[in-house]
Amino acid sequence: MAEIAPEQGMVALKLSNYRDWQPGLDRVKVDAPSLYVLAPLDAHWSLEGSAVNDAVSGASPRFHSAVSGASKMDDSRTAGDLKLTHYAERQAWSVGVASSGEHDYRSNTLSGEWRVASEDNNRTWNLGLAYSDDAIGSTNDPTLDEHRRTWQFAAGVTQAWSPVDLVQLNLGASIGRGHFSDPYKFPDARPREREQYTALLRWNHHVEALQATLRTSWRLYDDSYGVRAHTLDAAWVQPVAPGWTLTPMLRYTTQRAARFYYDPVYDPVLGAPFPPGFGNRPYYSADQRLSAFGAATAGLRVDWAIDSQWKLDLAYERYEQRAAWRVGGDGSPGLAPFSARWWQLGVSRSF
Protein backbone atom coordinates (compact mmCIF):
# COMPACT_ATOMS: atom_id res chain seq x y z
CA MET A 1 0.00 0.00 0.00
CA ALA A 2 1.10 3.56 -0.62
CA GLU A 3 2.62 5.60 2.22
CA ILE A 4 -0.29 7.66 3.60
CA ALA A 5 -1.07 9.35 6.89
CA PRO A 6 -3.26 7.35 9.30
CA GLU A 7 -6.95 8.12 8.89
CA GLN A 8 -7.84 7.23 12.48
CA GLY A 9 -6.33 8.15 15.80
CA MET A 10 -5.72 5.69 18.61
CA VAL A 11 -5.37 5.56 22.37
CA ALA A 12 -3.86 2.40 23.90
CA LEU A 13 -3.26 1.48 27.54
CA LYS A 14 -0.91 -1.37 28.51
CA LEU A 15 -0.34 -2.98 31.91
CA SER A 16 2.84 -5.08 32.13
CA ASN A 17 4.32 -7.20 34.92
CA TYR A 18 7.80 -8.79 34.95
CA ARG A 19 9.50 -11.10 37.47
CA ASP A 20 12.76 -13.07 37.41
CA TRP A 21 14.29 -15.57 39.80
CA GLN A 22 16.97 -18.20 40.40
CA PRO A 23 16.77 -21.34 42.58
CA GLY A 24 15.78 -20.16 46.04
CA LEU A 25 16.07 -16.47 45.09
CA ASP A 26 13.35 -14.05 44.04
CA ARG A 27 15.18 -11.21 42.34
CA VAL A 28 13.49 -8.41 40.44
CA LYS A 29 9.83 -7.43 39.99
CA VAL A 30 8.63 -4.68 37.64
CA ASP A 31 5.15 -3.21 37.17
CA ALA A 32 4.88 -0.93 34.14
CA PRO A 33 1.68 0.82 33.04
CA SER A 34 2.04 2.66 29.72
CA LEU A 35 -0.05 4.92 27.49
CA TYR A 36 0.22 5.37 23.71
CA VAL A 37 -1.55 8.04 21.64
CA LEU A 38 -1.64 8.44 17.83
CA ALA A 39 -3.26 11.56 16.38
CA PRO A 40 -3.62 12.37 12.65
CA LEU A 41 -3.14 16.10 12.14
CA ASP A 42 -4.24 16.33 8.49
CA ALA A 43 -3.77 14.40 5.25
CA HIS A 44 0.04 14.65 5.49
CA TRP A 45 0.93 14.82 9.18
CA SER A 46 0.58 12.68 12.30
CA LEU A 47 1.78 12.95 15.88
CA GLU A 48 2.31 10.00 18.23
CA GLY A 49 3.68 9.62 21.72
CA SER A 50 3.90 7.29 24.68
CA ALA A 51 4.55 7.43 28.41
CA VAL A 52 5.53 4.64 30.82
CA ASN A 53 6.26 4.31 34.52
CA ASP A 54 8.32 1.36 35.76
CA ALA A 55 8.05 0.46 39.46
CA VAL A 56 11.00 -1.83 40.26
CA SER A 57 11.40 -3.78 43.49
CA GLY A 58 13.11 -6.90 44.81
CA ALA A 59 16.56 -8.16 45.69
CA SER A 60 19.41 -6.59 43.74
CA PRO A 61 21.78 -9.16 42.19
CA ARG A 62 25.49 -8.81 42.97
CA PHE A 63 28.48 -10.59 41.42
CA HIS A 64 27.48 -13.70 39.45
CA SER A 65 23.87 -13.01 40.50
CA ALA A 66 24.42 -13.79 44.18
CA VAL A 67 21.85 -11.92 46.27
CA SER A 68 22.28 -10.71 49.84
CA GLY A 69 19.41 -10.12 52.23
CA ALA A 70 20.50 -6.51 52.60
CA SER A 71 20.45 -5.77 48.88
CA LYS A 72 16.77 -4.81 48.63
CA MET A 73 15.86 -2.15 46.13
CA ASP A 74 12.87 0.00 45.24
CA ASP A 75 13.08 2.29 42.25
CA SER A 76 10.87 4.07 39.76
CA ARG A 77 11.53 5.12 36.17
CA THR A 78 9.41 7.51 34.12
CA ALA A 79 9.90 7.71 30.35
CA GLY A 80 8.15 9.29 27.40
CA ASP A 81 8.58 10.01 23.71
CA LEU A 82 7.05 12.04 20.89
CA LYS A 83 7.31 11.53 17.13
CA LEU A 84 6.10 13.83 14.33
CA THR A 85 5.71 12.24 10.88
CA HIS A 86 5.16 13.85 7.48
CA TYR A 87 3.76 11.77 4.59
CA ALA A 88 4.41 12.57 0.94
CA GLU A 89 4.10 10.64 -2.32
CA ARG A 90 5.77 7.25 -1.77
CA GLN A 91 7.77 8.49 1.20
CA ALA A 92 7.61 9.64 4.81
CA TRP A 93 10.02 11.22 7.26
CA SER A 94 9.78 11.67 11.00
CA VAL A 95 11.61 13.32 13.90
CA GLY A 96 11.34 12.22 17.50
CA VAL A 97 12.45 12.98 21.03
CA ALA A 98 12.56 10.67 24.04
CA SER A 99 13.42 11.08 27.69
CA SER A 100 13.83 8.67 30.61
CA GLY A 101 14.60 9.46 34.22
CA GLU A 102 15.13 7.76 37.56
CA HIS A 103 16.94 8.78 40.73
CA ASP A 104 20.39 7.70 39.45
CA TYR A 105 20.02 7.72 35.66
CA ARG A 106 18.74 10.16 33.03
CA SER A 107 18.63 9.72 29.27
CA ASN A 108 17.61 12.05 26.43
CA THR A 109 17.39 11.03 22.78
CA LEU A 110 16.83 12.84 19.47
CA SER A 111 16.03 10.72 16.41
CA GLY A 112 15.10 10.93 12.74
CA GLU A 113 13.81 8.42 10.17
CA TRP A 114 13.13 8.40 6.43
CA ARG A 115 11.21 5.84 4.35
CA VAL A 116 10.75 5.72 0.58
CA ALA A 117 8.87 3.19 -1.56
CA SER A 118 9.29 2.05 -5.16
CA GLU A 119 6.71 3.10 -7.76
CA ASP A 120 4.83 -0.20 -7.42
CA ASN A 121 5.06 -0.02 -3.59
CA ASN A 122 6.54 -3.53 -3.50
CA ARG A 123 9.81 -2.33 -1.99
CA THR A 124 10.52 0.15 0.81
CA TRP A 125 13.88 1.49 2.01
CA ASN A 126 14.37 3.04 5.42
CA LEU A 127 17.15 5.04 7.10
CA GLY A 128 17.36 6.08 10.74
CA LEU A 129 19.68 8.13 12.96
CA ALA A 130 19.56 8.79 16.71
CA TYR A 131 21.71 10.48 19.34
CA SER A 132 21.47 9.79 23.09
CA ASP A 133 23.00 11.59 26.06
CA ASP A 134 22.89 9.69 29.36
CA ALA A 135 23.77 10.93 32.85
CA ILE A 136 24.76 8.18 35.32
CA GLY A 137 24.88 8.30 39.10
CA SER A 138 24.73 5.79 41.95
CA THR A 139 23.00 5.48 45.30
CA ASN A 140 26.04 3.59 46.59
CA ASP A 141 28.41 6.34 45.47
CA PRO A 142 26.88 9.86 45.63
CA THR A 143 30.06 11.29 44.06
CA LEU A 144 29.54 9.37 40.80
CA ASP A 145 28.68 11.82 38.02
CA GLU A 146 29.34 10.17 34.67
CA HIS A 147 28.00 10.49 31.13
CA ARG A 148 27.59 8.32 28.07
CA ARG A 149 26.91 9.58 24.55
CA THR A 150 25.74 7.25 21.81
CA TRP A 151 25.10 7.50 18.07
CA GLN A 152 22.77 4.92 16.53
CA PHE A 153 22.35 4.19 12.82
CA ALA A 154 19.82 1.97 11.03
CA ALA A 155 19.17 1.04 7.40
CA GLY A 156 16.87 -1.53 5.87
CA VAL A 157 14.78 -2.72 2.97
CA THR A 158 11.37 -4.45 2.92
CA GLN A 159 10.32 -6.42 -0.17
CA ALA A 160 6.98 -7.97 -1.13
CA TRP A 161 8.50 -11.16 -2.52
CA SER A 162 5.17 -12.63 -3.63
CA PRO A 163 1.48 -12.08 -2.90
CA VAL A 164 1.94 -14.10 0.32
CA ASP A 165 5.59 -13.44 1.24
CA LEU A 166 7.20 -10.40 2.82
CA VAL A 167 10.95 -10.22 3.54
CA GLN A 168 12.95 -7.56 5.35
CA LEU A 169 16.63 -6.90 6.05
CA ASN A 170 17.70 -4.35 8.68
CA LEU A 171 21.26 -3.36 9.59
CA GLY A 172 22.11 -1.36 12.69
CA ALA A 173 25.10 0.15 14.47
CA SER A 174 25.53 1.84 17.85
CA ILE A 175 28.71 3.76 18.74
CA GLY A 176 28.94 4.76 22.40
CA ARG A 177 31.56 6.70 24.38
CA GLY A 178 31.59 7.23 28.13
CA HIS A 179 30.68 5.24 31.24
CA PHE A 180 29.59 1.63 30.71
CA SER A 181 30.60 0.03 34.04
CA ASP A 182 27.79 -1.08 36.36
CA PRO A 183 27.93 1.00 39.57
CA TYR A 184 25.94 -1.67 41.47
CA LYS A 185 28.16 -4.65 40.68
CA PHE A 186 31.54 -4.70 42.44
CA PRO A 187 34.08 -5.10 41.01
CA ASP A 188 33.03 -4.05 37.51
CA ALA A 189 35.30 -2.17 35.08
CA ARG A 190 34.41 -2.00 31.39
CA PRO A 191 35.94 -0.13 28.43
CA ARG A 192 34.69 3.43 27.97
CA GLU A 193 33.89 2.72 24.34
CA ARG A 194 31.40 0.23 22.97
CA GLU A 195 30.48 -0.52 19.37
CA GLN A 196 27.45 -2.70 18.69
CA TYR A 197 26.30 -4.08 15.34
CA THR A 198 23.14 -5.95 14.36
CA ALA A 199 21.71 -7.66 11.30
CA LEU A 200 18.04 -8.66 11.33
CA LEU A 201 16.40 -10.79 8.63
CA ARG A 202 12.61 -11.30 8.70
CA TRP A 203 10.29 -13.45 6.59
CA ASN A 204 6.50 -13.41 6.88
CA HIS A 205 4.51 -16.05 4.95
CA HIS A 206 0.72 -16.06 4.71
CA VAL A 207 -0.96 -19.48 4.54
CA GLU A 208 -4.12 -18.94 2.51
CA ALA A 209 -5.75 -22.27 3.38
CA LEU A 210 -5.68 -21.48 7.11
CA GLN A 211 -5.88 -17.68 6.83
CA ALA A 212 -2.81 -17.68 9.10
CA THR A 213 0.62 -16.03 8.94
CA LEU A 214 4.01 -17.44 9.92
CA ARG A 215 6.43 -14.75 11.16
CA THR A 216 10.10 -15.69 11.42
CA SER A 217 13.32 -13.80 12.06
CA TRP A 218 17.05 -14.28 12.60
CA ARG A 219 19.13 -11.67 14.40
CA LEU A 220 22.92 -11.47 14.58
CA TYR A 221 24.49 -9.28 17.27
CA ASP A 222 28.19 -8.48 17.62
CA ASP A 223 30.03 -5.89 19.71
CA SER A 224 33.49 -4.63 20.60
CA TYR A 225 33.32 -6.39 24.00
CA GLY A 226 33.52 -9.75 22.24
CA VAL A 227 29.85 -10.66 22.76
CA ARG A 228 28.26 -12.37 19.77
CA ALA A 229 24.68 -13.67 19.78
CA HIS A 230 22.25 -15.33 17.39
CA THR A 231 18.50 -15.18 17.97
CA LEU A 232 15.88 -17.21 16.09
CA ASP A 233 12.24 -16.22 16.45
CA ALA A 234 9.00 -17.75 15.12
CA ALA A 235 5.35 -16.85 15.67
CA TRP A 236 2.13 -18.26 14.20
CA VAL A 237 -0.75 -15.76 13.84
CA GLN A 238 -4.01 -17.74 13.68
CA PRO A 239 -7.55 -16.31 13.55
CA VAL A 240 -9.80 -18.72 15.48
CA ALA A 241 -13.19 -16.94 15.46
CA PRO A 242 -14.60 -13.62 14.27
CA GLY A 243 -12.55 -10.96 16.02
CA TRP A 244 -10.28 -13.46 17.83
CA THR A 245 -6.61 -14.22 17.02
CA LEU A 246 -4.13 -16.51 18.80
CA THR A 247 -0.36 -16.05 18.36
CA PRO A 248 1.95 -18.68 19.92
CA MET A 249 5.67 -17.91 19.68
CA LEU A 250 9.08 -19.48 20.29
CA ARG A 251 12.50 -17.81 20.54
CA TYR A 252 16.01 -19.17 21.01
CA THR A 253 19.22 -17.21 21.73
CA THR A 254 22.82 -18.41 21.94
CA GLN A 255 25.54 -16.01 23.13
CA ARG A 256 29.32 -15.87 23.44
CA ALA A 257 30.80 -14.21 26.55
CA ALA A 258 32.52 -10.84 26.65
CA ARG A 259 36.33 -10.99 26.66
CA PHE A 260 36.54 -9.52 30.17
CA TYR A 261 33.76 -11.59 31.75
CA TYR A 262 35.20 -13.91 34.40
CA ASP A 263 33.74 -17.16 35.70
CA PRO A 264 32.94 -17.65 39.44
CA VAL A 265 36.53 -18.65 40.23
CA TYR A 266 38.10 -15.98 42.41
CA ASP A 267 41.54 -14.65 43.30
CA PRO A 268 43.28 -17.12 45.67
CA VAL A 269 44.40 -14.31 47.99
CA LEU A 270 41.55 -11.80 47.89
CA GLY A 271 38.72 -14.29 47.40
CA ALA A 272 35.20 -13.46 46.19
CA PRO A 273 34.20 -11.43 44.31
CA PHE A 274 37.61 -10.47 42.89
CA PRO A 275 38.76 -12.14 39.66
CA PRO A 276 42.07 -14.02 39.42
CA GLY A 277 44.88 -11.51 39.04
CA PHE A 278 42.76 -8.60 40.21
CA GLY A 279 44.78 -5.41 39.96
CA ASN A 280 46.66 -6.63 36.89
CA ARG A 281 43.63 -6.66 34.60
CA PRO A 282 42.26 -3.42 33.07
CA TYR A 283 38.72 -4.74 32.57
CA TYR A 284 36.58 -7.31 34.39
CA SER A 285 32.91 -8.01 35.00
CA ALA A 286 30.89 -10.73 36.74
CA ASP A 287 27.65 -9.58 35.10
CA GLN A 288 25.73 -12.70 34.07
CA ARG A 289 24.31 -10.84 31.05
CA LEU A 290 27.86 -10.79 29.60
CA SER A 291 28.37 -14.55 30.08
CA ALA A 292 28.07 -17.37 27.51
CA PHE A 293 24.65 -19.04 27.57
CA GLY A 294 21.66 -20.30 25.67
CA ALA A 295 18.09 -19.17 26.33
CA ALA A 296 14.61 -20.18 25.21
CA THR A 297 11.36 -18.23 25.36
CA ALA A 298 7.81 -19.51 24.79
CA GLY A 299 4.76 -17.31 24.73
CA LEU A 300 1.14 -16.84 23.71
CA ARG A 301 -0.79 -13.71 22.71
CA VAL A 302 -4.58 -13.41 22.45
CA ASP A 303 -6.18 -10.53 20.52
CA TRP A 304 -9.90 -9.69 20.58
CA ALA A 305 -11.35 -7.06 18.23
CA ILE A 306 -14.57 -6.26 20.09
CA ASP A 307 -15.79 -3.99 17.31
CA SER A 308 -14.33 -1.56 14.77
CA GLN A 309 -13.07 0.72 17.56
CA TRP A 310 -12.27 -1.34 20.67
CA LYS A 311 -9.56 -4.01 20.93
CA LEU A 312 -8.17 -6.09 23.81
CA ASP A 313 -4.96 -8.12 23.94
CA LEU A 314 -3.30 -10.37 26.52
CA ALA A 315 0.24 -11.77 26.20
CA TYR A 316 2.36 -14.09 28.36
CA GLU A 317 6.00 -15.19 27.92
CA ARG A 318 8.30 -17.47 29.91
CA TYR A 319 12.11 -17.24 29.62
CA GLU A 320 14.67 -19.85 30.69
CA GLN A 321 18.46 -19.35 30.51
CA ARG A 322 21.11 -22.07 30.95
CA ALA A 323 24.84 -22.12 30.28
CA ALA A 324 24.53 -25.66 28.88
CA TRP A 325 22.01 -24.57 26.26
CA ARG A 326 24.56 -22.59 24.30
CA VAL A 327 25.09 -23.76 20.70
CA GLY A 328 28.47 -23.10 19.10
CA GLY A 329 30.65 -23.61 22.17
CA ASP A 330 30.61 -24.19 25.89
CA GLY A 331 28.57 -21.96 28.15
CA SER A 332 30.03 -20.15 31.15
CA PRO A 333 30.37 -22.63 34.06
CA GLY A 334 29.15 -22.21 37.61
CA LEU A 335 26.08 -20.07 36.91
CA ALA A 336 22.71 -20.88 38.47
CA PRO A 337 19.72 -21.30 36.12
CA PHE A 338 17.93 -18.02 35.40
CA SER A 339 14.16 -17.77 34.83
CA ALA A 340 11.79 -14.92 34.05
CA ARG A 341 8.19 -14.41 33.07
CA TRP A 342 6.15 -11.43 31.97
CA TRP A 343 2.58 -10.73 30.98
CA GLN A 344 0.87 -7.76 29.38
CA LEU A 345 -2.77 -6.69 29.19
CA GLY A 346 -3.75 -4.03 26.68
CA VAL A 347 -6.83 -2.14 25.58
CA SER A 348 -7.03 0.31 22.67
CA ARG A 349 -9.67 2.48 21.05
CA SER A 350 -9.63 4.01 17.58
CA PHE A 351 -11.35 7.31 16.87
Side-chain angles (χ1 to χ4, degrees), residues 8-11 308-311 348-351:
Q8 287 187 311
M10 176 188 292
V11 176
S308 60
Q309 291 182 313
W310 288 94
K311 295 181 180 180
S348 65
R349 186 184 187 278
S350 300
F351 59 89

Side-chain angles (χ1 to χ4, degrees), residues 44-294:
H44 298 285
W45 293 88
S46 71
L47 182 66
E48 58 189 306
S50 66
V52 62
N53 178 260
D54 297 332
V56 185
S57 62
S60 178
R62 298 186 298 166
F63 48 92
H64 293 108
S65 301
V67 177
S68 74
S71 59
K72 302 299 180 182
M73 66 172 177
D74 288 284
D75 201 357
S76 178
R77 180 184 73 99
T78 301
D81 65 85
L82 281 173
K83 183 167 72 171
L84 178 68
T85 303
H86 175 70
Y87 300 85
E89 184 180 1
R90 294 190 295 106
Q91 63 178 307
W93 58 261
S94 61
V95 293
V97 293
S99 181
S100 175
E102 49 198 290
H103 77 281
D104 56 0
Y105 189 90
R106 298 187 311 277
S107 179
N108 295 293
T109 301
L110 178 65
S111 63
E113 183 183 5
W114 176 65
R115 302 187 302 272
V116 60
S118 59
E119 290 189 14
D120 59 6
N121 291 313
N122 283 337
R123 182 181 297 120
T124 302
W125 292 269
N126 67 277
L127 292 172
L129 176 66
Y131 174 76
S132 298
D133 189 345
D134 303 340
I136 303 158
S138 171
T139 301
N140 295 344
D141 180 9
T143 66
L144 183 65
D145 183 16
E146 283 281 1
H147 288 267
R148 179 170 63 240
R149 295 172 176 85
T150 305
W151 285 96
Q152 294 178 301
F153 310 88
V157 58
T158 303
Q159 174 71 46
W161 199 260
S162 77
V164 294
D165 293 284
L166 197 66
V167 295
Q168 183 183 78
L169 174 64
N170 285 319
L171 302 177
S174 176
I175 312 298
R177 302 290 185 269
H179 188 80
F180 286 93
S181 302
D182 191 325
Y184 296 103
K185 289 184 172 64
F186 177 80
D188 192 280
R190 310 183 191 188
R192 294 185 63 86
E193 299 181 356
R194 190 176 191 181
E195 297 181 4
Q196 300 166 281
Y197 302 97
T198 58
L200 175 64
L201 181 63
R202 289 178 172 147
W203 170 47
N204 291 357
H205 175 71
H206 184 67
V207 182
E208 292 278 5
L210 300 175
Q211 287 300 297
T213 300
L214 173 65
R215 297 175 176 172
T216 63
S217 68
W218 165 73
R219 181 179 184 267
L220 170 64
Y221 170 89
D222 191 82
D223 69 18
S224 57
Y225 286 2
V227 177
R228 178 174 294 171
H230 297 266
T231 300
L232 297 172
D233 195 301
W236 183 267
V237 185
Q238 179 66 64
V240 293
W244 289 85
T245 303
L246 295 181
T247 307
M249 59 79 62
L250 290 172
R251 182 183 304 117
Y252 172 75
T253 297
T254 180
Q255 175 175 301
R256 183 179 68 186
R259 286 187 296 271
F260 51 85
Y261 169 81
Y262 64 94
D263 296 318
V265 176
Y266 304 108
D267 188 273
V269 176
L270 299 175
F274 299 98
F278 177 75
N280 299 320
R281 303 170 58 172
Y283 306 118
Y284 37 79
S285 179
D287 192 335
Q288 176 179 310
R289 294 169 295 183
L290 297 177
S291 67
F293 62 83

Side-chain angles (χ1 to χ4, degrees), residues 15 25 87:
L15 301 175
L25 298 172
Y87 300 85

